[in-house]
Amino acid sequence: MDDSAPAPAPAVDAAAGSLREPGRYRKGIAKREAILDAALPVFGQVGFHGASLREIARQCGVSHQSLMHYFPTKDELLMAVLRRRDERLRRHFDDEGGMRVDELVELAEYNVDVPVVISLFITASAEAVSSEHPAHEYYRDYYDRIVRSTTAYLSVAADRGWLRPGYSAAAAARVVLAVQDGLQLQWLYERDAVNVAELMRLVIGSVLTVPTSELDEAVREEARRRP
Amino acid sequence: MDDSAPAPAPAVDAAAGSLREPGRYRKGIAKREAILDAALPVFGQVGFHGASLREIARQCGVSHQSLMHYFPTKDELLMAVLRRRDERLRRHFDDEGGMRVDELVELAEYNVDVPVVISLFITASAEAVSSEHPAHEYYRDYYDRIVRSTTAYLSVAADRGWLRPGYSAAAAARVVLAVQDGLQLQWLYERDAVNVAELMRLVIGSVLTVPTSELDEAVREEARRRP
C-alpha cells in the first residue's frame, strides 16, 4: 500500500482501522468530519444538483482525489451530511411513547444557530420529491417515521380528550411538523421577524388543551403500565 | 432580418409586435408558453441549478438557439416560470383589506392538480435563500408581501378580539402560511395521507374564533367605511 494514500474511510471498517492504525484512523475521522463541515454550506447554498465535489474539496483544502476516497459519489456525500444533521432527531424516533413535540421545539431553537442546515434540509427535501433523487428514499422514510412517532405521542392526548375539536392525533402531528418546516423557511428570509420556537409553541397550544408537561407525564405513565 | 429567425420575444415589445405582425406574434406567444410549460417540470424535478436550458429546449421540441431567443439566460426563464405560477395569488396581495385566508386554502386545492409547481416553488424558495440565487429578491419580496397582506386581513380579526389568546395578526398570518408550505411538502411525499386544504382549515379554525365568512364580512364593512 502506498504510504501517501489517504487513510481508509473510517465508516467502512471503523473497528478494524482503530485497532491496526489508531493514528491514521483518528486523522481519517477528522478529515471525514472536515469534509462534511465543508460540504454542508455548499449543498445548503446551491442545492444538491448545483454542488460540485471539486468545489467542496477546494473549500476544505483536500484534493479532489482524497475527497473521492471518503465519498466516492456526490450521492454518498449528501446522504452522510443529511444523516449527521438528523442524528439528534432520529434518536427520538423510537422513544417509547413516540416523539415529544417539545423535542421538535428544542430542535427549532438549536437550528437557529445552523441556518445553513435548515436551508440544506429544506432544499434537499423539496428536490428529493423526484423518485430519481438520491435522497428520495431517505426523505420518504424520514417523513414517514417522524409523522408516525409524533402521532404516537399525540395519540395519548387524543385518547384522553386533550386535542382540540377536529384534530386527530395524525392531523395534529402533521400540523406541528408542517409549521416547523414552513416557519423555518420564512425565518431564512427574515430572521429578525420570525421566532420559530415561539410560534411553534403557540401552535402546539392551539392543538393541545393541556400543557405539554402534563402530556409527557401521561405518556410516561402509559409506558410504565405496559407489560 | 432572416425570415427563419424566431418571432420576437413577445414580452419585450408586445404591443408593437402585435400591430406589425399579428400572426408571428401569436406564434411567438404560443412558443413562449410551450417553453414555460416544458421548463416547469424540469425545474421542479432537478431544481434551478440542476436544470439545463438544452434539456428544456429538447423537452419542448425547440432548438437551444430558439429557446435562448425567448429566454437569454436560465435566470430569466426561472423568473418567468415563477411569475406565471404566482399570478393567481399576487392578484390578491393588494386587495383592499388584505389577503383572505380562504384564498390560500383555495390555492392549496388548486395546487393538488399541479404537484410539479409546488415542488418547483418549494425547491426554488429554499435554494433562493442564498443572496446570490437569481430568485432571491423575488422570494424576499414574495414572503414580505404575502405576510403583510395576510396580516392586514387578520388584523381586522385582532381588532375585534377574534384571534385565539396568544396570537397577534402577524403570528396568525405566519402560522397559516407556514402550515401551507409545510403540508404541501409532506403531501409531495405521501399524497394519499395528506389533505392540505382540510388541515389548513383546521389550523385556521384554531387561530380564528369566528368563521372566515364572518371575518370576510367585517373586512368588507371596514373597507366601505373608509373615506
Side-chain angles (χ1 to χ4, degrees):
Chain A
M1 188 179 165
D2 176 5
D3 242 339
S4 70
V12 175
D13 192 0
S18 65
L19 289 171
R20 282 201 302 266
E21 297 175 88
R24 276 178 82 85
Y25 175 69
R26 272 198 302 276
K27 272 191 212 155
I29 287 271
K31 201 178 249 186
R32 193 174 183 278
E33 292 296 301
I35 292 169
L36 291 175
D37 285 340
L40 191 91
V42 178
F43 280 134
Q45 273 156 33
V46 302
F48 172 71
H49 287 282
S52 114
L53 285 188
R54 263 177 218 289
E55 174 62 18
I56 292 166
R58 201 187 58 75
Q59 296 243 356
C60 59
V62 304
S63 69
H64 186 217
Q65 195 201 348
S66 176
L67 176 79
M68 301 271 288
H69 172 77
Y70 292 95
F71 303 100
T73 65
K74 196 162 74 167
D75 294 12
E76 287 171 64
L77 179 56
L78 174 70
M79 294 316 301
V81 168
L82 293 176
R83 278 201 197 94
R84 197 166 64 154
R85 184 267 182 192
D86 286 342
E87 258 165 40
R88 199 187 145 98
L89 201 58
R90 281 181 179 255
R91 275 202 304 272
H92 298 280
F93 280 1
D94 300 319
D95 281 359
E96 194 162 29
M99 178 93 186
R100 291 164 48 237
V101 291
D102 280 351
E103 193 61 44
L104 293 168
V105 178
E106 283 156 26
L107 184 78
E109 275 167 340
Y110 162 83
N111 279 346
V112 166
D113 294 328
V114 281
V116 76
V117 175
I118 304 181
S119 167
L120 169 62
F121 187 81
I122 296 177
T123 310
S125 61
E127 283 183 347
V129 162
S130 156
S131 58
E132 290 149 39
H133 192 283
H136 180 72
E137 286 309 314
Y138 175 85
Y139 275 107
R140 267 191 86 82
D141 174 67
Y142 172 85
Y143 280 113
D144 181 52
R145 291 187 65 204
I146 197 167
V147 167
R148 272 195 288 138
S149 187
T150 310
T151 301
Y153 170 80
L154 290 167
S155 68
V156 174
D159 291 346
R160 296 182 181 220
W162 290 347
L163 292 180
R164 301 250 178 219
Y167 282 97
S168 64
R174 289 204 175 269
V175 162
V176 171
L177 294 166
V179 95
Q180 183 184 32
D181 283 343
L183 287 173
Q184 286 187 332
L185 184 57
Q186 289 178 30
W187 175 80
L188 289 170
Y189 281 94
E190 214 182 342
R191 301 192 186 180
D192 295 335
V194 187
N195 186 325
V196 177
E198 193 181 289
L199 289 171
M200 281 183 74
R201 280 198 201 93
L202 205 50
V203 170
I204 290 166
S206 309
V207 164
L208 283 172
T209 59
V210 298
T212 51
S213 56
E214 194 166 334
L215 177 54
D216 288 349
E217 181 47 42
V219 167
R220 279 194 295 271
E221 197 183 287
E222 301 229 340
R224 277 195 300 269
R225 264 197 226 143
R226 271 183 217 116
Chain B
M1 189 180 166
D2 177 2
D3 241 341
S4 72
V12 176
D13 193 358
S18 66
L19 288 172
R20 280 202 303 265
E21 297 176 89
R24 275 177 84 87
Y25 176 68
R26 271 196 305 275
K27 271 191 214 157
I29 287 271
K31 200 178 250 186
R32 192 173 184 277
E33 292 296 301
I35 292 169
L36 291 175
D37 284 341
L40 190 93
V42 178
F43 280 133
Q45 275 156 32
V46 300
F48 173 72
H49 287 282
S52 112
L53 284 189
R54 262 177 220 288
E55 176 60 20
I56 292 165
R58 201 186 60 73
Q59 295 244 356
C60 60
V62 303
S63 69
H64 185 218
Q65 193 200 351
S66 175
L67 177 78
M68 301 271 289
H69 172 77
Y70 292 95
F71 302 100
T73 66
K74 196 160 76 166
D75 294 12
E76 287 171 65
L77 179 56
L78 175 70
M79 295 316 300
V81 168
L82 293 176
R83 279 202 196 96
R84 199 167 62 154
R85 183 268 184 188
D86 286 342
E87 258 165 41
R88 200 188 144 97
L89 201 59
R90 282 182 178 253
R91 275 202 304 271
H92 298 279
F93 281 0
D94 299 319
D95 282 359
E96 194 163 27
M99 179 92 185
R100 292 164 48 236
V101 291
D102 281 349
E103 194 62 43
L104 293 168
V105 177
E106 283 157 26
L107 184 78
E109 278 169 337
Y110 162 84
N111 279 347
V112 166
D113 294 328
V114 281
V116 76
V117 175
I118 302 180
S119 168
L120 169 62
F121 188 81
I122 296 178
T123 309
S125 62
E127 285 184 346
V129 161
S130 156
S131 58
E132 288 149 39
H133 191 283
H136 181 71
E137 286 309 316
Y138 175 82
Y139 276 106
R140 268 190 86 83
D141 173 67
Y142 173 84
Y143 281 112
D144 180 53
R145 291 187 64 203
I146 197 167
V147 168
R148 271 196 289 136
S149 187
T150 311
T151 302
Y153 171 80
L154 290 167
S155 68
V156 174
D159 291 346
R160 296 180 181 220
W162 291 346
L163 292 179
R164 301 248 180 224
Y167 283 97
S168 64
R174 289 206 175 268
V175 162
V176 171
L177 293 167
V179 95
Q180 184 184 33
D181 283 343
L183 287 174
Q184 286 188 333
L185 185 56
Q186 289 178 31
W187 175 81
L188 288 170
Y189 281 94
E190 214 182 343
R191 302 194 184 178
D192 294 336
V194 188
N195 186 326
V196 177
E198 194 181 287
L199 290 171
M200 282 183 73
R201 281 197 199 94
L202 205 50
V203 171
I204 290 165
S206 310
V207 164
L208 282 173
T209 60
V210 298
T212 51
S213 55
E214 194 166 335
L215 177 54
D216 289 349
E217 180 48 40
V219 168
R220 279 193 297 270
E221 198 184 287
E222 299 228 340
R224 277 195 300 269
R225 265 197 227 141
R226 270 183 218 117

